[in-house]
Amino acid sequence: MPPKKQMTSFNEHHIIAYGLKICERALKMKQVVSVSCRFCMYFGHEEKVGAKRKATTNIQYFHSPFRADVYMRHMLSQHCMNWERYSALLNKEKATFLGKIAPLVHRNTLQSHFGRA
């Protein structure tokens, strides 16, 4: 029998620690269902030197199980330079960093106009 998938609940401290945004909550339990990377929203993915393909413009969404190592892997592979600046800040500075530094880029999609539901 395969091992049961672990259901790690979302830690609210990860919002500031990893620059995340809550996207969806369960209706009855109010538990977090998905979060998105605000670095993807504000800065986009960084281009890698010598890469064969262009960097994607998609926003990274994380679903349960919510694990810090998954966030770190994404930050180090897709937002290395901006993550380095962000991780050096204090928590008070992190709370306002993304709003001050980068304007939000709105995409011309149905989800951006009407939401996920």
Side-chain angles (χ1 to χ4, degrees):
M1 196 153 75
K4 190 175 180 181
K5 185 177 178 181
Q6 291 184 349
M7 298 302 287
T8 307
S9 60
F10 182 70
N11 184 346
E12 298 285 334
H13 298 289
H14 289 175
I15 292 173
I16 293 176
Y18 297 103
L20 302 173
K21 177 185 174 192
I22 296 174
C23 295
E24 187 178 354
R25 289 185 183 264
L27 292 176
K28 292 182 182 178
M29 304 283 284
K30 301 293 183 196
Q31 290 178 326
V32 175
V33 175
S34 74
V35 295
S36 63
C37 173
R38 288 182 20 195
F39 284 86
C40 290
M41 288 183 213
Y42 289 100
F43 301 113
H45 296 268
E46 293 176 4
E47 294 286 335
K48 293 185 175 118
V49 177
K52 292 182 180 180
R53 293 180 179 87
K54 184 180 166 187
T56 183
T57 58
N58 296 337
I59 296 172
Q60 176 70 41
Y61 291 91
F62 301 99
H63 305 281
S64 184
F66 298 103
R67 295 178 26 201
D69 64 316
V70 176
Y71 307 143
M72 283 299 297
R73 187 176 335 124
H74 171 72
M75 294 300 176
L76 293 174
S77 67
Q78 301 298 322
H79 311 290
C80 190
M81 293 176 67
N82 289 318
W83 175 249
E84 195 174 300
R85 288 176 36 203
Y86 185 78
S87 61
L89 299 174
L90 300 172
N91 279 343
K92 290 179 183 179
E93 296 168 331
K94 285 180 181 180
T96 58
F97 175 79
L98 291 171
K100 286 182 180 178
I101 298 297
L104 180 60
V105 177
H106 290 283
R107 300 183 195 287
N108 193 16
T109 63
L110 287 175
Q111 280 187 353
S112 67
H113 293 286
F114 299 110
R116 279 184 77 95

